[in-house]
Amino acid sequence: MPGPRHPPSLVTARRKGSPVTVTATRPSVQDEAPPPRAPRVLSFSQRLSRFDLKVSPYLYISPFFILFAITGLFPIVFTAVISFQDWDLVRGEGTFVGFDQYIWILQQPHFWTALRNTFSIFLLSTVPQLVAAVFIAALLDRNIRAKTFWRMGVLLPYIVAPVAVALIFSNLFADRFGLVNTLLGGVGIGPIPWHTDPFWSHVAIATMVNFRWTGYNTLILLAAMQAVNRDYYEAASIDGAGAFRQFVSITLPSLKPTLIFVIITSTIGGLQIF
């Protein structure tokens, strides 16, 4: 008589003289790994679409870098190379002289005068400009009347032609009949030599620069201030923080990336004035 049948997925082994039973499970058909799929063959249009997604961003920005390499990078590198040579402009060639020309320029008093004038105008035009831009942006960020009018007003000096700005300030800071000296004379202060004294001439130039660029930086900082989450200010008000405390603890830290950008651009522009 045949013995009992075991399930097809089980194999039972009994050791003689031992009650221990070892059961092994046979792999079923469902547990077997599926056969590998054949690689998907892409059509020409699909391959072209993938290539476009990977390469097109670089193609879009390549014109700028090509023009920059031709008109910006190459002149800088070429100037650095010929600075170590005694270059003849007629023949278009030169002889290598090393650092002799750098040593010569460092020994010239006019170089140090120009360097001093550059940093003087830079400090007088950049630092007050950034401070005024942050202050004006903080005022415009509040709920004031005619907000759009004031925001447009701070940008008006920027859209004025540079020639017009130069004419206006040349009349304001004229030595003999300038408006500023006339007003100072009305309160008993003598005329200031705006054109002959180095310091006061730097002040006049810096005032003109600040007039033109403060509004531009103000709008950049104002846009960054409006991007700050207003919930922070509400929570600070509930905790008892005043307006100044909110400005120092919330506004300024939130403006850090924008301030870095404004400082860099203002520094570049300030060093190029003189």
Side-chain angles (χ1 to χ4, degrees):
M1 183 176 180
R5 294 184 178 181
H6 297 284
S9 61
L10 297 177
V11 176
T12 304
R14 297 180 182 273
R15 185 180 298 175
K16 187 176 181 180
S18 174
V20 178
T21 301
V22 179
T23 304
T25 304
R26 293 180 180 178
S28 62
V29 178
Q30 297 178 353
D31 296 336
E32 294 180 358
R37 294 183 179 180
R40 182 183 177 185
V41 179
L42 299 177
S43 63
F44 175 76
S45 61
Q46 291 175 332
R47 292 196 300 269
L48 184 62
S49 177
R50 288 190 175 184
F51 178 80
D52 179 63
L53 290 176
K54 293 180 179 179
V55 179
S56 59
Y58 300 98
L59 294 178
Y60 295 148
I61 63 176
S62 60
F64 166 77
F65 288 99
I66 293 174
L67 290 176
F68 173 74
I70 297 174
T71 62
L73 186 60
F74 172 74
I76 293 174
V77 175
F78 183 73
T79 303
V81 171
I82 66 175
S83 66
F84 295 97
Q85 302 179 14
D86 186 9
W87 192 260
D88 190 343
L89 295 177
V90 177
R91 295 182 300 172
E93 59 183 14
T95 56
F96 182 77
V97 295
F99 289 92
D100 292 348
Q101 299 188 103
Y102 289 94
I103 296 174
W104 178 83
I105 195 66
L106 291 176
Q107 295 174 349
Q108 303 302 311
H110 295 295
F111 169 77
W112 296 105
T113 302
L115 191 64
R116 183 177 64 252
N117 293 337
T118 299
F119 279 96
S120 175
I121 297 175
F122 160 70
L123 293 175
L124 291 173
S125 62
T126 303
V127 177
Q129 179 187 141
L130 295 177
V131 174
V134 173
F135 178 74
I136 298 173
L139 293 179
L140 295 177
D141 192 40
R142 295 182 170 274
N143 293 324
I144 58 176
R145 294 184 178 181
K147 185 184 300 184
T148 304
F149 170 77
W150 295 114
R151 291 177 181 177
M152 294 176 59
V154 296
L155 195 61
L156 286 178
Y158 177 71
I159 64 177
V160 176
V163 176
V165 175
L167 291 175
I168 293 171
F169 279 87
S170 63
N171 291 323
L172 287 175
F173 293 105
D175 288 338
R176 297 184 60 184
F177 304 106
L179 179 61
V180 176
N181 279 342
T182 301
L183 295 177
L184 292 177
V187 295
I189 301 177
I192 296 176
W194 299 105
H195 293 80
T196 57
D197 186 87
F199 174 75
W200 291 113
S201 63
H202 295 173
V203 171
I205 296 173
T207 304
M208 181 173 59
V209 174
N210 293 334
F211 168 79
R212 179 170 172 78
W213 290 100
T214 300
Y216 174 81
N217 291 327
T218 297
L219 289 187
I220 295 177
L221 295 173
L222 177 61
M225 288 182 183
Q226 292 183 333
V228 180
N229 193 344
R230 298 297 164 178
D231 294 339
Y232 297 152
Y233 295 101
E234 294 179 2
S237 299
I238 295 174
D239 292 339
F244 180 77
R245 182 64 178 177
Q246 294 178 18
F247 178 77
V248 174
S249 301
I250 300 176
T251 305
L252 286 182
S254 302
L255 292 179
K256 183 178 179 180
T258 307
L259 277 175
I260 293 175
F261 168 77
V262 172
I263 290 173
I264 292 175
T265 54
S266 299
T267 301
I268 295 173
L271 293 177
Q272 292 178 342
I273 292 175
F274 182 75

